[in-house]
Amino acid sequence: MRFGLTILTDLPWAEAGPRWRAAEEMGFDHAWTYDHLVWGGLPESPWTGAVPTLAAAAATTQRIGLGTLVTAPNFRHPYPFLRDVQALEGIADGRVLLGLGVGGDRDSKVLGGEALSTRERVDRFQEFVTLLARLRDEDHVDADGRWFATRDARTLPPLRRTPFLVAANGPRSLRFSARAGDGWVTTGPHAETTLEGWYDGLARARDTYEEALVAAGREPADLPRYLLADTGRVGPAGFALASLGAFEDMAGRAAELGFTDLVTHWPRTEQPYAGDDRVLEQVADALPRLRG
């Protein structure tokens, strides 16, 4: 079992930088941030870009994996984003973990984008990932999609050390993640209002994902599975850092469900993710035992 911390970009780097370094020093395996123009959880908050934040984090750490949870096509085109990731892969010396997801539609609305149905947003996301994978694997790429196009897109240098971790909760997206991803990211079911219901939904999603892997001719044991915890829908019990006991319980339940990685959030002084830094320190001390 591996463990990660998500650090939001609402703080100035002078305050956030020490947190990224501390995540490594505390022994976490990876650290993440959201990739948005504006995040719906803090719509009136200061906010900065994910890619330069991760580049700065890479320059001040040595070991820890660094990732996006998640990058979405709401304000990105696959080709310029590939160029950003290529640079980031070099700066981080191969420590980038690229979480890719449909995302919310707030960023698209900010840019005056048309209103899309859920099906259309999923269609666009799948086209985004498919073209991004082509740009990773090919050169001189021509594409004519509904949402994205390229003409003779040069792609050097090769992107070879950055896994595409495709986020999915619903059945259609789970099947796509099983076909297209180098790993799976999930926040669990959105409709559940109890913690036990959330775990039950995770089990159903796990089963769907594994069935889709087998159908795609892939070995389920080969791909990592990242559980992004801290669902506010089920109250305080949904925050993994509510207490050391809560984190231990969630890590155990996640492992039983077949997840290889559990990601929580650096505690904030207020919601969302309100918590106590002392619990984070207790969890960090317990990580060697929890990896067992």
Side-chain angles (χ1 to χ4, degrees):
M1 194 71 169
R2 295 178 293 266
F3 300 96
L5 272 178
T6 301
I7 302 169
L8 303 183
T9 64
D10 57 322
L11 296 176
W13 181 250
E15 296 179 51
R19 293 189 175 191
W20 291 89
R21 292 188 290 274
E24 179 170 83
E25 292 164 0
M26 286 189 290
F28 284 90
D29 300 284
H30 29 70
W32 310 77
T33 198
Y34 296 169
D35 188 12
H36 289 291
L37 299 175
V38 179
W39 179 48
L42 291 171
E44 303 302 323
S45 172
W47 199 259
T48 56
V51 172
T53 295
L54 291 173
T60 58
T61 58
Q62 300 295 322
R63 171 197 58 82
I64 197 167
L66 301 167
T68 58
L69 282 177
V70 289
T71 291
N74 295 301
F75 68 101
R76 291 196 179 278
H77 185 288
Y79 187 38
F81 181 62
L82 173 84
R83 291 306 196 193
D84 285 347
V85 176
Q86 287 169 322
L88 188 59
E89 182 181 81
I91 295 167
D93 194 22
R95 293 183 285 138
V96 179
L97 301 166
L98 195 60
L100 302 168
V102 175
D105 60 358
R106 182 180 293 266
D107 292 330
S108 180
K109 289 179 179 177
V110 167
L111 296 179
E114 62 179 303
L116 302 179
S117 68
T118 299
R119 174 172 290 277
E120 287 174 319
R121 290 171 58 221
V122 173
D123 288 344
R124 182 181 60 178
F125 170 66
Q126 294 189 4
E127 184 178 309
F128 177 89
V129 174
T130 300
L131 179 52
L132 189 64
R134 284 192 61 200
L135 292 163
R136 175 192 61 188
D137 298 335
E138 304 173 21
D139 194 10
H140 296 280
V141 176
D142 289 312
D144 285 291
R146 176 181 176 186
W147 310 102
F148 305 106
T150 59
R151 297 287 182 273
D152 193 30
R154 300 305 317 276
T155 60
L156 298 177
L159 189 67
R160 293 288 182 262
R161 297 183 290 169
T162 300
F164 289 5
L165 309 174
V166 178
N169 296 325
R172 180 186 175 200
S173 292
L174 286 163
R175 290 190 290 268
F176 178 73
S177 179
R179 296 193 306 271
D182 301 315
W184 171 36
V185 175
T186 185
T187 58
H190 289 290
E192 301 297 340
T193 57
T194 68
L195 191 56
E196 284 304 316
W198 184 69
Y199 283 125
D200 290 343
L202 284 172
R204 292 191 296 272
R206 182 268 321 272
D207 292 345
T208 299
Y209 179 68
E210 291 187 348
E211 291 167 3
L213 285 174
V214 172
R218 308 182 76 180
E219 173 53 54
D222 290 345
L223 277 75
R225 307 171 189 195
Y226 295 78
L227 175 58
L228 180 57
D230 309 335
T231 171
R233 299 182 298 279
V234 298
F239 185 41
L241 294 181
S243 67
L244 174 59
F247 190 87
E248 291 173 330
D249 182 68
M250 189 166 288
R253 296 288 295 268
E256 290 173 1
L257 289 167
F259 287 94
T260 60
D261 296 75
L262 177 64
V263 183
T264 185
H265 292 77
W266 192 290
R268 303 179 71 252
T269 57
E270 57 189 21
Q271 295 293 358
Y273 315 128
D276 192 329
D277 284 356
R278 291 173 293 183
V279 175
L280 175 59
E281 293 166 1
Q282 293 169 359
V283 166
D285 290 339
L287 290 181
R289 170 173 55 82
L290 293 172
R291 286 193 182 94

